[in-house]
Amino acid sequence: MARRTTSSSTGSSPGPRNRTPQPLPRRRRTFGDFVKAFFAFVALLVLLIGVPGALATQIGWPLPSGSPSLDWLQQEITVSTFINVLTVVVWFAWAQFTACVLVEVKAALSGVGLPNRVPGAGPSQLLARQLVAALLLVGATAASFAPGLSQLGQQLEGNQRPTAAAAQQTPGGLLGQQQEQSASAAAALAEQAASAAVHAESGSGAQASDGDTKFYRIQPPEGRHHDSLWEVAERHLGDGRRYKEIYQLNKDRTQPDGSKLSEASLIRPGWIMEMPGDARGGELVEMPDEAPKVSQEVQQQISDYAKTGSGAGAGGQEQGSGQRGGGSGSLDRDTAHISLPEQRPAPDQGQGQQGQQGQEASPAGEDSGFGLPQALLGAPLLAAGLLGALGRRRRQALWQSALGSVGGRRRGMEPPTPTGAAADAQDALLVGADPEGVRLLDRSLRGLAASLAGESRPLPTVYAAWMSGNGDLHLQLAQPAGKPPAPWQLGQDQTFWMLARADAERYEDVDTAAPYPGLVSLGTMDDSRLLLNLEAVPGIVSLSGREQDRAGVFASVAAELATNGWSDRMTITLVGFGEDLTPLAPNRLRHLDDVEALVETMEAETRQRRGALGAAGHDSVLTGRTGPAQHTRWAPHLVLLAAEPSADDAVKLAELAADASRLGIGYLVGTQSGDLPGAAWEMEITSEGKLLAPLLGLELDAQLLPVAQQRAVVELFVDADPENEGRRDDGRPAATPPFLVDVSEQGRPAVYARLVGPYEIIGLDTPDGERSPLLHEALALLLLHREGVHPRVLSSALWPRGVTDDVRDALVERLRAWLGNDPDGTPRLGTDTTGRLKLAKSVVSDLDVLRSLYHEATQGRGANSRAVRGRLLTDALVLVRGPLLAERPAGRYGWLTHEIIDAQLPLLVADIGLALSAFHLEKNRAEKAIEALNAALGSAPGDERLWNELLRATHATGDSDRLKRLAADLVTRSGARGLPPRTEALLDELLPAWRSGVAAVG
């Protein structure tokens, strides 16, 4: 995955600035500048002198000359009274404007940067700034420190930040602080340009002297707010994303307390930060030898720190590669922060996550002529969850059809073959899925919970999990929780627990509840994937941005929560979107029509959970998931509200969310403006697919599920549901007929592969060298997908950890050469109109023959000829030599876990055995029927239908002792689960005394 780079606010090179800016060309004064200055002077003269002069001469003193009395209240309000009141208002406005002019003139002439804000004087101060800037534009000390006139009338909030922000990091404080930062960006950019102009006009050269180096001293916390590099960059560089420049200039330099800066998000009060040369901000940026506003001790600290900059400066000449997270500030127990963990060097590039490395090796859009949906290719955990859920849905449909609970697909039981966008979505899921990553994540989290329970320790609150590019798992805790249990280790600080991939692979399945089911992927940052724990957020998570961009985030979050493999039970409530997503997981997803219904529902559930926690003696749901009470699952309830709530509803949700993290309830709420009460974490999705959370120091490549891919995925699930058979009105077939071959002597294939049992190929020479197993595996995949296989699906199946396009293409050409051509010269491995690889009809497997024999016996020639039916069914059963691809080499054919052929083949064999048994029982050949059923049971030992028919056939022999032995064998096989209800009912009919008889036989 390509690394993220962030350009500076000026749009220049991404590398950090030199200590002083390069001089800019001298700006020549034009006639228009002098005209603007003249009119600005006239305007100021009129406003500062003309207005008070006119008021004094034309209206006079507006206030009464005597002391106020109660008689005034009874006097009539005249025009004179009204004019006097207006005059007082105008005098106050003039005084405020005059103060603004004085403040702006002082700031412009002194060069201290952004001026102080006059309380309540937003538009007035902007006007004063425009006029002063125009007047001074023609002077040597002028600088463009005013926003454009288009901003006249906007709020001036935040144009001057105090030394350390006083905003409390509560929901309201966070919101105000974020708005203040956004409003200050434009003015700070103008201030930065002004600084460059001043340097240019004063003749400063390209090389900076030591005396021009600027420093910033990290301020102590105020309330719950902590200073951060992001905010320092926001105030003094005009763009918070330039925090990396500050980090690179100061990385690994010794601070006054003896420690070093090693993580951008971990800074301490009193540390000194060398700043890029274009930093601005008055007394907040001190020179080493000219810092009169600080103590002598601090001056000495700055001077000593400046001497350590030679080595650090060289290291700071490159933009950071993003190995560090955002400047989220020091962590404390009252404020939720997220930062990127330190990365360990990967011991082996092959140990990376499948989905990520697969994309690096073969990015979307670089295929020959076509690509797959990038949204699914770049979401390995989401794709794995969807693929696993789809497989379970299809298996469930097969069993329903086999047991006759749903009609229409009783014969053949072939699920519909997806086409168009649904086919592309399925291929993208196969390519992008990382089931191994999901398995390791699930085992690691459950193993951690089991270890903590064994030590009688509670689960720590986890805000986020990071899955790094080398496969390590980092948990970011809300607060330090001591030393983690082995094999977990402490990470970069006390709030990080880390598990290496090699240690995670040694975990086994444990019987414990999923500790953090609310984790969900948000995106990637510097090759690390962030999973936010929605359940643990101390309040609401708000998501702002355009509606269509927010929809992609909400759909991705909902789909992953509904299908992920690291949770048990869960309730996900969707409001304002997602009614069509419910087929993904009907037991988890529910849709509400409006916010009013949501508030009513959540008020009741919040009360119920508070009462249940109190009755159980738990302080939070986490204590109910481990230790003696681990049987209490305390399933999370996550609310995804895409529609922006009204002001009243927003307040109600904020009240409900205040205690939500303790109760296992999480809220993700969409908002157009970002102004949402109770928002503990504020995120924004951009039209470029970036997920921004400045106060958390995050800039992610967002994980999205756009509308087109969402519809295609839902179509796969809807088509897999047997209850939807016959309900489609889009012209697509209800079921896909199986690939049939000519089973007569004239239909002998050119290449015949035996897959049912040990793998054998007839009609081809064995490939030479070490590539033979790879070619055999590729051919098996193609034989099981007669509809065609996408080249990227083929490469992903053979090389789960990724492969380059040239290696994949070389394998395809080698496979094409091995299969050869038909007599008419047509290659036996071709490409269809969609670009998928497809085998010719002359290449056949025994599975194709098996399906064809059964179809011909039940729906073809055998349907009207008993003799033909018996011969075809007997021939079909002879082909069954064991399980699919028996004795396959270890470590290969892992893609079979995504297939449903392991469920289809036993059902097909059982159908053949049942049909042949019925064929023999029609002529009272019970022994032949028993022989056919026993043969089918060899490949389908768990099929209840076969055992029931075996009971009937054994009963037909008239041997009661044999029937009792069979019943006893069935009871033994069933174990503690007991016999299925249908089998018990059948035994009651065939052998009324079977319970006592079984005990006697036992």
Side-chain angles (χ1 to χ4, degrees):
M1 179 177 298
R3 291 192 179 277
R4 174 181 56 80
T5 60
T6 304
S7 61
S8 68
S9 62
T10 58
S12 59
S13 170
R17 305 284 183 140
N18 292 330
R19 296 185 182 178
T20 55
Q22 296 295 325
L24 300 177
R26 181 182 299 273
R27 184 181 183 277
R28 295 182 178 275
R29 307 297 185 255
T30 65
F31 177 75
D33 294 334
F34 286 97
V35 171
K36 291 179 182 179
F38 172 75
F39 282 112
F41 174 76
V42 171
L44 286 172
L45 199 63
V46 169
L47 292 173
L48 295 178
I49 300 177
V51 170
L55 291 174
T57 59
Q58 300 300 320
I59 300 177
W61 185 251
L63 298 178
S65 57
S67 303
S69 65
L70 294 176
D71 294 338
W72 288 3
L73 300 177
Q74 300 175 357
Q75 292 180 1
E76 182 181 357
I77 299 177
T78 64
V79 174
S80 177
T81 304
F82 183 72
I83 292 176
N84 286 337
V85 172
L86 289 180
T87 303
V88 172
V89 173
V90 174
W91 274 109
F92 277 116
W94 172 84
Q96 185 188 58
F97 178 75
T98 302
C100 293
V101 172
L102 295 176
V103 167
E104 295 295 331
V105 170
K106 177 181 180 296
L109 296 179
S110 63
V112 298
L114 294 177
N116 292 323
R117 180 171 61 88
V118 178
S124 297
Q125 190 162 2
L126 279 175
L127 177 60
R129 178 174 300 177
Q130 295 287 338
L131 296 175
V132 172
L135 180 62
L136 299 181
L137 186 62
V138 296
T141 60
S144 63
F145 29 52
L149 286 173
S150 61
Q151 296 183 6
L152 189 62
Q154 295 182 6
Q155 291 289 337
L156 191 65
E157 296 294 331
N159 280 352
Q160 172 68 18
R161 295 293 299 271
T163 301
Q168 296 291 322
Q169 206 152 344
T170 58
L174 277 173
L175 179 61
Q177 187 180 22
Q178 194 171 35
Q179 288 179 328
E180 186 179 354
Q181 290 174 349
S182 301
S184 66
L189 288 173
E191 185 71 19
Q192 183 178 327
S195 173
V198 170
H199 276 280
E201 296 181 5
S202 61
S204 59
Q207 299 297 325
S209 64
D210 290 341
D212 291 334
T213 304
K214 303 176 182 179
F215 293 86
Y216 173 79
R217 191 165 182 264
I218 302 299
Q219 300 299 313
E222 291 189 8
R224 298 167 67 185
H225 172 77
H226 291 257
D227 210 354
S228 69
L229 292 187
W230 178 283
E231 294 175 349
V232 173
E234 188 83 52
R235 291 196 298 268
H236 306 302
L237 300 177
D239 187 350
R241 289 174 294 183
R242 294 183 63 191
Y243 74 89
K244 289 187 178 181
E245 299 179 30
I246 306 175
Y247 171 75
Q248 289 297 329
L249 284 172
N250 298 275
K251 178 183 177 184
D252 296 330
R253 294 171 64 177
T254 302
Q255 293 291 336
D257 61 359
S259 56
K260 296 181 179 180
L261 174 66
S262 61
E263 186 68 25
S265 62
L266 299 178
I267 57 177
R268 299 178 183 175
W271 279 9
I272 308 297
M273 294 289 115
E274 182 179 345
M275 302 292 288
D278 58 348
R280 303 284 292 173
E283 72 275 13
L284 300 185
V285 179
E286 307 288 355
M287 308 301 176
D289 300 324
E290 301 176 6
K293 298 184 181 181
V294 297
S295 65
Q296 185 66 34
E297 179 185 1
V298 174
Q299 291 186 43
Q300 185 62 43
Q301 290 177 355
I302 295 175
S303 179
D304 294 341
Y305 187 76
K307 299 175 183 178
T308 68
S310 58
Q317 296 306 309
E318 290 185 19
Q319 175 72 9
S321 62
Q323 292 300 318
R324 303 291 181 262
S328 59
S330 303
L331 294 174
D332 63 62
R333 63 184 302 159
D334 296 322
T335 305
H337 290 274
I338 303 296
S339 59
L340 187 66
E342 291 181 345
Q343 303 293 309
R344 299 187 312 113
D348 183 0
Q349 293 298 324
Q351 296 297 319
Q353 294 179 356
Q354 170 221 343
Q356 291 182 355
Q357 292 208 0
Q359 298 319 306
E360 290 178 340
S362 184
E366 294 186 5
D367 279 290
S368 55
F370 61 98
L372 295 175
Q374 182 62 38
L376 296 174
L377 291 174
L381 304 184
L382 170 61
L386 289 171
L387 198 60
L390 181 61
R392 291 190 295 272
R393 183 69 54 81
R394 287 174 172 171
R395 285 179 173 84
Q396 181 184 12
L398 286 173
W399 279 107
Q400 287 177 339
S401 298
L403 295 175
S405 59
V406 177
R409 278 172 49 188
R410 180 71 173 84
R411 297 179 183 274
M413 292 171 292
E414 295 293 331
T417 299
T419 58
D424 289 339
Q426 178 174 275
D427 289 340
L429 293 177
L430 290 168
V431 174
D434 183 16
E436 179 66 11
V438 171
R439 184 182 67 87
L440 291 178
L441 176 62
D442 182 48
R443 287 186 172 181
S444 300
L445 296 178
R446 293 181 193 266
L448 174 64
S451 299
L452 290 172
E455 298 177 7
S456 298
R457 295 172 60 186
L459 283 169
T461 300
V462 169
Y463 281 150
W466 292 89
M467 298 185 70
S468 64
N470 58 17
D472 295 345
L473 175 62
H474 302 256
L475 296 183
Q476 187 161 358
L477 313 183
Q479 60 190 53
K483 183 178 179 181
W488 290 79
Q489 308 170 26
L490 282 175
Q492 62 206 48
D493 59 43
Q494 295 291 323
T495 62
F496 275 94
W497 285 4
M498 190 273 290
L499 180 67
R501 182 185 178 95
D503 295 327
E505 290 173 342
R506 289 194 286 267
Y507 265 120
E508 300 291 339
D509 292 329
V510 293
D511 183 19
T512 189
Y516 305 112
L519 287 169
V520 63
S521 303
L522 290 185
T524 56
M525 181 177 180
D526 300 335
D527 294 340
S528 291
R529 184 168 302 277
L530 171 64
L531 288 87
L532 182 66
N533 190 4
L534 282 178
E535 184 189 17
V537 176
I540 292 175
V541 179
S542 70
L543 178 66
S544 61
R546 298 188 307 170
E547 183 177 359
Q548 57 267 39
D549 298 324
R550 299 200 314 263
V553 177
F554 274 101
S556 171
V557 170
E560 184 168 299
L561 288 173
T563 60
N564 72 60
W566 55 87
S567 63
D568 299 319
R569 296 184 298 112
M570 183 186 302
T571 300
I572 308 160
T573 299
L574 312 179
V575 186
F577 82 108
E579 186 173 6
D580 55 341
L581 287 174
T582 52
L584 300 183
N587 295 330
R588 285 193 179 185
L589 291 171
R590 69 174 180 180
H591 178 267
L592 295 181
D593 294 330
D594 51 40
V595 182
E596 183 179 354
L598 173 67
V599 171
E600 182 180 354
T601 300
M602 297 314 299
E603 284 178 344
E605 180 158 351
T606 300
R607 288 194 302 268
Q608 187 273 333
R609 290 202 174 211
R610 283 174 179 162
L613 278 178
H618 301 316
D619 57 348
S620 73
V621 295
L622 287 180
T623 57
R625 291 183 185 158
T626 186
Q630 68 175 350
H631 62 280
T632 305
R633 299 292 176 167
W634 298 106
H637 186 168
L638 303 177
V639 176
L640 308 181
L641 174 56
E644 184 168 8
S646 65
D648 292 340
D649 290 333
V651 172
K652 293 178 182 178
L653 288 174
E655 293 173 353
L656 291 171
D659 196 28
S661 60
R662 187 178 70 91
L663 305 176
I665 302 175
Y667 293 87
L668 176 62
V669 181
T671 173
Q672 186 70 31
S673 61
D675 184 3
L676 190 67
W681 290 345
E682 296 175 333
M683 299 185 296
E684 176 189 1
I685 179 66
T686 69
S687 57
E688 292 79 22
K690 295 289 185 180
L691 191 65
L692 308 178
L695 295 181
L696 301 178
L698 296 178
E699 181 180 348
L700 305 172
D701 294 320
Q703 178 172 294
L704 305 171
L705 186 58
V707 175
Q709 281 76 59
Q710 175 184 330
R711 291 173 179 169
V713 168
V714 171
E715 181 181 323
L716 292 173
F717 280 80
V718 171
D719 287 350
D721 192 342
E723 294 183 358
N724 293 319
E725 287 296 330
R727 301 182 183 178
R728 302 187 181 94
D729 54 4
D730 55 3
R732 292 181 293 119
T736 303
F739 174 76
L740 302 178
V741 299
D742 186 357
V743 294
S744 65
E745 286 294 329
Q746 292 75 23
R748 188 178 297 275
V751 178
Y752 182 66
R754 305 179 73 181
L755 305 179
V756 185
Y759 190 5
E760 299 177 12
I761 296 180
I762 300 172
L764 291 177
D765 296 332
T766 302
D768 297 330
E770 298 178 353
R771 296 191 179 97
S772 178
L774 204 61
L775 292 173
H776 278 74
E777 186 174 358
L779 179 57
L781 178 61
L782 291 167
L783 285 167
L784 293 178
H785 290 276
R786 304 301 308 216
E787 73 278 7
V789 176
H790 194 289
R792 293 194 66 179
V793 173
L794 178 66
S795 62
S796 176
L798 300 180
W799 295 282
R801 293 177 177 173
V803 67
T804 55
D805 291 349
D806 57 339
V807 174
R808 178 198 64 201
D809 295 341
L811 172 76
V812 172
E813 292 305 318
R814 198 173 291 114
L815 181 61
R816 184 175 283 117
W818 180 43
L819 292 174
N821 301 330
D822 283 334
D824 61 357
T826 304
R828 293 180 180 136
L829 177 60
T831 305
D832 65 11
T833 56
T834 66
R836 288 171 170 80
L837 301 171
K838 196 171 184 179
L839 291 173
K841 292 185 177 180
S842 58
V843 182
V844 172
S845 71
D846 54 356
L847 187 58
D848 299 327
V849 177
L850 194 65
R851 290 193 181 105
S852 301
L853 288 171
Y854 178 69
H855 182 272
E856 190 71 15
T858 55
Q859 302 179 50
R861 291 179 295 127
N864 300 318
S865 173
R866 187 178 187 281
V868 172
R869 181 168 72 253
R871 177 173 55 81
L872 293 174
L873 291 173
T874 302
D875 290 345
L877 204 55
V878 170
L879 290 177
V880 181
R881 302 176 298 128
L884 184 74
L885 294 169
E887 303 175 5
R888 56 181 177 266
R892 303 212 65 90
Y893 297 87
W895 48 269
L896 281 173
T897 58
H898 303 315
E899 306 286 341
I900 63 170
I901 184 62
D902 60 335
Q904 287 177 304
L905 179 59
L907 290 175
L908 177 60
V909 173
D911 280 350
I912 295 172
L914 291 170
L916 188 56
S917 172
F919 171 81
H920 289 303
L921 287 177
E922 288 176 1
K923 295 297 184 179
N924 296 321
R925 294 197 291 262
E927 292 296 339
K928 288 287 187 180
I930 292 173
E931 181 181 347
L933 292 169
N934 283 327
L937 281 168
S939 294
D943 198 311
E944 181 187 356
R945 299 172 300 159
L946 290 175
W947 288 106
N948 291 347
E949 287 303 311
L950 186 58
L951 287 171
R952 293 188 178 96
T954 304
H955 179 265
T957 63
D959 189 341
S960 60
D961 291 337
R962 185 176 181 181
L963 184 59
K964 290 178 182 179
R965 290 194 297 272
L966 178 58
D969 185 31
L970 278 174
V971 171
T972 303
R973 288 173 178 269
S974 62
R977 295 176 301 174
L979 291 174
R982 294 184 182 184
T983 304
E984 280 194 356
L986 180 61
L987 280 174
D988 288 338
E989 173 67 22
L990 301 179
L991 193 64
W994 66 274
R995 290 175 173 83
S996 59
V998 166
V1001 172

